[in-house]
């Protein structure tokens, strides 16, 4: 999800705003993009973000990221290049936000303030050790929020790149399978996987439940019946006290971590409205059938924002980067050399 990725980037980006407070040399600006001047603290934030991205590219086993090569470039050169790109995106965001006539309302600023006030105390000691102040941290949170708001405006209803209802539904049908049914236990009361004999008993209950459901039995009653049978057999105290919790109505996404690959593959092979089946997951069995993704139009509205990010975030990021790189950019090479990546305290 784009908002999650951006929020995480802010927390990472803002880790190093002014690492060299105690150094004798001082520069007023390091990079200027489309007339927007970026101070050393802002440059160092962007550089640190690129530094962390570099680590993610080379892997955790590497002892020194700067000794590596990334995209056919020495890591240090790649990090410097990415830092400047990050600032170009920052400038593009500020410019575009204003050109689109967007504003941060009280809810927006309140959310940003809460985010800053919540996370800053947890990280203040680390940030200050690297010379970063709360003001710079806040700036990057505001930038992040604006970046995301532009995305919503651009791809949302009536936006220049608006996604149609048909596109949403087609994406859902391709990437999500909605299922209804219930879980059955695969573990004993100590949380250990069942032995072969007990496993066969529970599998038998699952098969019997499927037969009854496909013969017209009520789902909630069937779920309660067989969960009770399984609970009594395994001497489990309670599986679910509330009858409403017996039945699930959930979406299985492609490459889902919540459902096993076997169940995911099985679910997508089913036609919505087909008969009940059962499958085995890591910690449970599931008795279920696939149903239509949306029974009411309002259900699509509830998931549009998350779907939009999945569908268009990569496209948006590419578009922004292309636009941002076209902005006139001036780099003070002496300042970039002075605020070298090898001075970062990690």
């Amino acid at each position: 999800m784009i908002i999650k990725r951006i929020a995480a980037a802010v927390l990472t980006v803002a880790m190093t705003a002014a690492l060299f407070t105690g150094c004798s040399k001082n520069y007023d600006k390091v990079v200027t993009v489309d007339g927007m001047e970026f101070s050393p603290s802002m440059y160092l934030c962007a550089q640190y973000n690129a530094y962390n991205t570099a680590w993610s590219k080379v892997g955790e086993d590497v002892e020194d990221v700067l000794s590596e090569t990334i995209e056919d470039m020495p890591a240090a050169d790649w990090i410097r290049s990415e830092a400047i790109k990050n600032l170009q995106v920052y400038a593009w965001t500020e410019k575009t936000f204003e050109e689109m006539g967007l504003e941060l309302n009280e809810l927006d600023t309140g959310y940003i303030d809460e985010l800053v006030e919540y996370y800053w105390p947890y990280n203040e000691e680390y940030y200050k050790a690297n010379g970063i102040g709360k003001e710079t941290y806040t700036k990057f949170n505001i930038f992040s929020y604006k970046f995301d708001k532009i995305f919503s405006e651009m791809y949302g209803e009536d936006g220049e790149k608006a996604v149609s209802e048909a596109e949403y539904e087609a994406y859902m049908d391709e990437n999500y399978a909605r299922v209804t049914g219930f879980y059955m236990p695969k573990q004993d009361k100590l949380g250990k996987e069942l032995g072969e004999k007990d496993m066969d008993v529970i599998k038998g209950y699952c098969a019997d439940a499927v037969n009854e459901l496909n013969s017209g039995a009520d789902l909630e009653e069937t779920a309660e019946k067989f969960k009770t049978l399984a609970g009594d057999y395994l001497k489990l105290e309670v599986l679910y006290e509330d009858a409403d919790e017996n039945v699930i109505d959930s979406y299985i996404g492609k490459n889902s971590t919540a459902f096993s690959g076997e169940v995911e593959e099985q679910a997508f092979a089913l036609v919505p409205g087909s008969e009940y089946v059962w499958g085995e997951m890591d910690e449970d069995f599931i008795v279920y059938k696939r149903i239509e993704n949306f029974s009411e139009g309002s259900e699509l509205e509830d998931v549009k924002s998350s779907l939009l990010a999945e569908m268009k975030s990569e496209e948006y990021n590419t578009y922004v980067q292309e636009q941002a790189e076209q902005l006139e950019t001036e780099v003070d090479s002496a300042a970039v050399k002075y605020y070298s990546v090898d001075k970062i305290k990690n």
Side-chain angles (χ1 to χ4, degrees), residues 157 165 168 294 296-306:
E157 188 175 352
E165 299 287 304
Y168 278 117
F294 302 108
E296 299 178 3
S298 62
E299 293 178 348
L300 177 57
E301 293 299 323
D302 293 340
V303 297
K304 268 187 177 180
S305 60
S306 58

Side-chain angles (χ1 to χ4, degrees), residues 155-318:
Y155 286 91
E157 188 175 352
D158 299 326
E160 63 178 272
K161 297 175 180 289
V163 177
S164 68
E165 299 287 304
E167 288 179 284
Y168 278 117
E169 292 180 6
Y171 181 84
M172 279 294 296
D173 289 340
E174 182 179 349
N175 293 279
Y176 289 92
R178 185 180 181 184
V179 299
T180 185
F182 58 93
Y183 297 118
M184 291 285 280
K186 191 181 172 184
Q187 298 176 337
D188 62 21
K189 60 184 178 182
L190 298 177
K192 296 181 180 180
E193 185 169 291
L194 302 177
E196 184 177 354
K197 177 184 175 182
D198 292 339
M199 195 82 81
D200 287 342
V201 171
I202 303 303
K203 288 180 180 179
Y205 287 151
C206 291
D208 291 343
V210 165
N211 290 333
E212 291 192 17
L213 288 167
N214 288 333
S215 297
D218 178 78
L219 176 57
E220 286 192 10
E221 293 177 359
T222 304
E224 184 175 1
K225 172 184 174 180
F226 284 96
K227 290 170 88 64
T228 300
L229 284 172
D232 291 345
Y233 175 77
L234 297 173
K235 296 180 173 56
L236 302 176
E237 294 180 3
V238 176
L239 283 179
Y240 295 99
E241 292 183 349
D242 189 340
D244 291 339
E245 294 184 11
N246 281 332
V247 175
I248 63 167
D249 184 342
S250 183
Y251 285 95
I252 298 177
K254 285 186 176 177
N255 302 314
S256 169
T257 56
F259 295 85
S260 68
E262 176 186 330
V263 169
E264 177 191 320
E265 184 177 345
Q266 183 186 49
F268 276 94
L270 297 174
V271 176
S274 57
E275 293 189 331
Y276 282 90
V277 296
W278 68 272
E280 182 174 349
M281 304 194 300
D282 292 337
E283 297 181 356
D284 301 279
F285 292 103
I286 181 173
V287 174
Y288 72 99
K289 72 173 180 179
R290 185 175 181 180
I291 59 177
E292 294 290 347
N293 277 345
F294 302 108
S295 58
E296 299 178 3
S298 62
E299 293 178 348
L300 177 57
E301 293 299 323
D302 293 340
V303 297
K304 268 187 177 180
S305 60
S306 58
L307 284 180
L308 188 58
E310 289 182 26
M311 295 168 67
K312 297 297 183 179
S313 60
E314 184 175 351
E315 176 184 301
Y316 175 62
N317 289 333
T318 300

Side-chain angles (χ1 to χ4, degrees), residues 10 13 16 21 60 88 104 148 197 224 227 311 322:
V10 169
V13 161
T16 315
T21 314
E60 297 179 355
Q88 288 173 324
L104 297 179
D148 200 47
K197 177 184 175 182
E224 184 175 1
K227 290 170 88 64
M311 295 168 67
E322 290 174 350

Side-chain angles (χ1 to χ4, degrees), residues 53-79:
T53 302
W55 273 109
S56 69
K57 287 182 173 291
V58 300
E60 297 179 355
D61 297 334
V62 173
E63 291 186 7
D64 179 14
V65 67
L66 298 182
S67 66
E68 299 297 311
T69 299
I70 302 174
E71 297 176 2
D72 298 324
M73 296 174 65
D77 292 343
W78 185 90
I79 291 168

